[in-house]
Amino acid sequence: MMPLSIYIHIPFCVTKCGYCDFLSFCGRLEAHEPYAEAIIADIAACAKDFTGHEVVTVFFGGGTPTVLAAGQLGRILGTIMDNYTLADDASITTEANPDTIDDAYLTVLRHAGFNRISFGVQSFNDDLLAKIGRIHNAEKAVRAVHLAARAGFDDINIDLMFALPHQSISDFEQSVDVAVKLPVTHISCYALSAEDGTPLATNKDLLRAMPDDTADRAMYHLAAQKLSAHGFEHYEISNWGRPGRHCNHNIGYWTRREYIGFGLGAHSLVQDRRFCRTTNLEDYIKGNFFPIHLEDITHQAAMAEFVILGLRLVRGIDVNNFRQCFGQNIEHVFGHQLEKFVKNGLLAIDSPNIKLTKHGRDLSNAVFADFI
């Protein structure tokens, strides 16, 4: 059977963070149940198209999925279990805000079949959390992780952010030091960016207070050193996991595994066709599940995606896999780029793999742009 990943988008939040450009809404409590019912209907209607697939990962993202009642999330997951073939070891994740869960909530999720949880912690510094608009504090974040472990989650991720306004290298180091002492199996570290259209992008005081590129890179390298020293394997540019606890759902994105998205604005990749659901909440609740923005990915574009996404992985890309997928040698298609970046030290050949060097990870966007 063909492996398949499923993504569920829950677009509701308690508050919207100043840096967030995701499709999400604050409040809208009256829409929670109709939205859950719409997703359930969408999932069931599509099942007939994936009878030859085995679901290897399910991921609930947002927004903040845990603003829905635990029972609503459980019903959505139950619909997937009832209508699709799930792998015995399928990874089933929900994102969560530390301020939106408690013992009872986590117990319901665990009994429903969720076996992985991802907390948007961002920092263990209360002042920095307040500056970026997070509703939890460090104490609640630590408590949430321990509650999840007590509820039976043995695969727990936390997200950390660096290059926050007014954040020093020492501030970030303290957050990493707290993180590695918690019962977590995975840590993601991302640099804050001021995305167009967000309040952060128009806040001149906060923009001026963001660390410069030198401090940004120092924080990233500090994370890489400390997390590796504490047994977390650096397997993707921004992700570290305990052995056997890498995020299989995201690995699917980076290796171009087929995935289907349900919910508002959810994206899909099926048979080299990319599409998404409507971004209009009322339309989706009324049953408008038809794909929009359909794009047939050309052979050339698929090869470029294979390289760009695959190079995010620390192991890089396997040239034999490239040849099996596309019937061509990678050197014949991208020889100029490979020669240039190997020569300037941004790529390395570790046969049969081609991968970014440590310096190449710092300049990865420049490398990726040359393959488009």
Side-chain angles (χ1 to χ4, degrees):
M1 300 182 81
M2 290 286 292
L4 178 73
S5 288
I6 292 178
Y7 173 75
I8 306 294
H9 188 69
I10 307 298
F12 306 113
C13 286
V14 178
T15 61
K16 196 169 177 73
C17 299
Y19 57 84
C20 177
D21 67 340
F22 294 152
L23 179 58
S24 60
F25 311 96
C26 297
R28 300 301 303 267
L29 298 179
E30 79 289 348
H32 288 190
E33 177 59 21
Y35 185 77
E37 286 296 323
I39 285 186
I40 286 169
D42 193 3
I43 291 168
C46 284
K48 63 183 182 301
D49 298 326
F50 296 98
T51 54
H53 290 73
E54 181 180 57
V55 176
V56 294
T57 69
V58 180
F59 196 102
F60 285 60
T64 307
T66 49
V67 300
L68 290 189
Q72 290 170 325
L73 296 183
R75 280 163 43 215
I76 295 170
L77 178 57
T79 304
I80 295 172
M81 293 176 166
D82 290 342
N83 289 275
Y84 295 75
T85 301
L86 263 67
D88 291 340
D89 60 349
S91 173
I92 303 173
T93 304
T94 185
E95 292 179 341
N97 186 299
D99 210 44
T100 60
I101 54 89
D102 57 22
D103 268 320
Y105 192 104
L106 292 168
T107 298
V108 172
L109 291 185
R110 192 68 190 89
H111 286 167
F114 289 91
N115 54 29
R116 187 175 185 273
I117 193 164
S118 177
F119 289 109
V121 171
Q122 317 315 354
S123 175
F124 289 101
N125 181 303
D126 289 347
D127 290 338
L128 295 177
L129 287 169
K131 284 183 171 66
I132 60 174
R134 302 296 290 178
I135 62 173
H136 67 272
N137 59 26
E139 182 182 359
K140 288 181 179 179
V142 170
R143 178 175 178 271
V145 171
H146 286 296
L147 287 178
R150 192 165 70 192
F153 286 91
D154 61 0
D155 199 356
I156 302 172
N157 171 67
I158 59 174
D159 291 341
L160 295 178
M161 297 183 80
F162 57 91
L164 302 176
H166 301 286
Q167 185 181 41
S168 67
I169 296 172
S170 176
D171 290 333
F172 180 63
E173 182 174 19
Q174 289 171 1
S175 285
V176 174
D177 286 342
V178 173
V180 296
K181 294 174 183 175
L182 293 173
V184 300
T185 53
H186 192 280
I187 298 175
S188 301
C189 293
Y190 301 100
L192 176 66
S193 59
E195 302 295 338
D196 291 342
T198 62
L200 175 62
T202 59
N203 190 319
K204 294 180 180 178
D205 290 338
L206 288 182
L207 291 175
R208 281 193 293 266
M210 291 178 68
D212 60 21
D213 289 344
T214 300
D216 173 302
R217 289 298 85 193
M219 293 180 195
Y220 176 79
H221 294 150
L222 182 148
Q225 185 273 321
K226 286 221 162 194
L227 294 176
S228 296
H230 284 84
F232 290 86
E233 297 172 340
H234 193 185
Y235 72 96
E236 191 271 342
I237 290 176
S238 302
N239 287 276
W240 289 258
R242 297 287 188 191
R245 293 299 193 180
H246 300 177
C247 181
N248 190 22
H249 185 82
N250 286 343
I251 288 173
Y253 293 142
W254 299 317
T255 57
R256 300 188 79 248
R257 180 194 303 147
E258 288 191 349
Y259 59 90
I260 180 72
F262 298 106
L264 204 64
H267 287 254
S268 302
L269 175 66
V270 179
Q271 295 181 348
D272 272 332
R273 169 169 282 195
R274 185 171 282 111
F275 54 90
C276 69
R277 295 295 195 260
T278 179
T279 57
N280 184 293
L281 179 60
E282 286 70 27
D283 281 355
Y284 189 79
I285 288 175
K286 290 176 183 176
N288 176 12
F289 308 141
F290 298 105
I292 61 174
H293 304 309
L294 275 76
E295 174 195 1
D296 288 316
I297 302 170
T298 67
H299 187 73
Q300 184 65 32
M303 290 190 291
E305 283 186 6
F306 182 99
V307 174
I308 293 168
L309 295 172
L311 284 176
R312 293 194 61 88
L313 295 167
V314 171
R315 70 172 185 252
I317 54 177
D318 186 321
V319 298
N320 296 322
N321 287 345
F322 184 94
R323 184 169 56 251
Q324 290 169 4
C325 289
F326 303 110
Q328 295 175 266
N329 290 329
I330 192 169
E331 296 86 355
H332 294 160
V333 183
F334 296 115
H336 171 73
Q337 293 94 324
L338 296 177
E339 182 180 0
K340 178 175 70 172
F341 290 126
V342 168
K343 186 175 181 179
N344 65 18
L346 301 184
L347 287 180
I349 297 176
D350 184 15
S351 186
N353 286 13
I354 299 171
K355 60 186 181 181
L356 290 170
T357 62
K358 289 184 178 180
H359 184 45
R361 288 177 212 148
D362 288 333
L363 300 174
S364 58
N365 287 338
V367 176
F368 300 156
D370 221 22
F371 287 91
I372 297 174

